[in-house]
Amino acid sequence: MRLRIRTILCCTAIFSAVSFFTITFAETTPFNKAQVGDRIRKVENGVDDFEKYLTSRGENAKDQAGSAKSNGAAKRGQGANSAKDARKAQAKDQGKQSKDDLQNAMDDLNRTTNRLRRKFDATANYLETKVQMEQVMDSARRVNQVVGKGSNDGQAQRLWTALRASINDLARCYNLTPMGA
């Protein structure tokens, strides 16, 4: 009876140790450089797509502002309400500030992503670029705050969701905590 208990305890201890080391090894198994490079490429493409969208949105806004100005001139001649115009101007200024914040945050994300790529290509061990990846994460968190700060733009939300998923996937390669939604 005692021998059976010892055998069971010994087998349980060995099984537990093997399981622990297997799990630990699986969690710390590094990716190879090609896999990480592919994830960086996905992030770069996502940043480019988002910036293209911001550029086209800015051009569309300029076109709409020009047509609204010409329509507004006719209305002002008919006695438009100045308080209403003031509220519209204030809302426009706040929207412009939000767009500027988003553009600045995306410019920073693009800059840090480019720096990561340059350093990554120049090293044999991708983990040497962990500092640059942390900078990418900081920039991405800033974009995440601006996008989540009340942007009613569905296209921007969709593009950011896809880009954030790519950034989080890349962060896992570096054993960094991914961003929340």
Side-chain angles (χ1 to χ4, degrees):
M1 180 73 174
R2 286 185 178 177
L3 183 60
R4 188 178 293 173
I5 292 174
R6 280 186 186 166
T7 304
I8 291 173
L9 287 175
C10 186
C11 288
T12 304
I14 291 171
F15 179 73
S16 297
V18 169
S19 297
F20 174 75
F21 289 121
T22 302
I23 291 170
T24 303
F25 180 74
E27 289 176 356
T28 60
T29 301
F31 295 85
N32 66 39
K33 189 169 178 180
Q35 291 171 317
V36 177
D38 184 53
R39 285 172 173 85
I40 292 173
R41 182 191 50 77
K42 287 179 184 177
V43 170
E44 288 173 325
N45 290 343
V47 169
D48 291 343
D49 290 345
F50 201 104
E51 287 201 326
K52 284 178 193 172
Y53 168 73
L54 290 178
T55 301
S56 69
R57 182 180 75 171
E59 290 171 0
N60 291 342
K62 287 179 187 176
D63 293 343
Q64 290 174 356
S67 65
K69 235 182 217 183
S70 62
N71 290 342
K75 288 181 183 178
R76 274 188 221 109
Q78 299 170 357
N81 185 352
S82 63
K84 187 176 180 181
D85 290 341
R87 284 193 304 270
K88 284 183 181 178
Q90 184 180 10
K92 183 178 175 184
D93 289 343
Q94 288 174 346
K96 184 176 182 338
Q97 180 64 33
S98 176
K99 289 177 186 176
D100 290 343
D101 289 344
L102 182 57
Q103 186 63 53
N104 291 338
M106 280 305 298
D107 289 345
D108 188 46
L109 180 60
N110 189 29
R111 192 171 28 262
T112 57
T113 304
N114 290 340
R115 184 179 306 126
L116 172 64
R117 169 56 78 184
R118 281 192 312 273
K119 298 284 184 173
F120 176 84
D121 288 342
T123 62
N125 181 1
Y126 75 90
L127 286 174
E128 293 174 13
T129 59
K130 188 170 184 174
V131 171
Q132 286 76 26
M133 184 58 204
E134 289 169 346
Q135 292 170 347
V136 169
M137 292 299 291
D138 291 341
S139 299
R141 285 186 187 96
R142 182 172 164 220
V143 174
N144 198 41
Q145 287 176 343
V146 174
V147 169
K149 201 181 353 177
S151 173
N152 295 329
D153 190 350
Q155 180 68 14
Q157 291 285 347
R158 282 188 292 280
L159 287 169
W160 175 245
T161 300
L163 178 55
R164 184 178 57 220
S166 296
I167 292 170
N168 284 341
D169 193 29
L170 180 58
R172 288 181 191 96
C173 295
Y174 286 90
N175 292 325
L176 295 175
T177 305
M179 273 182 292

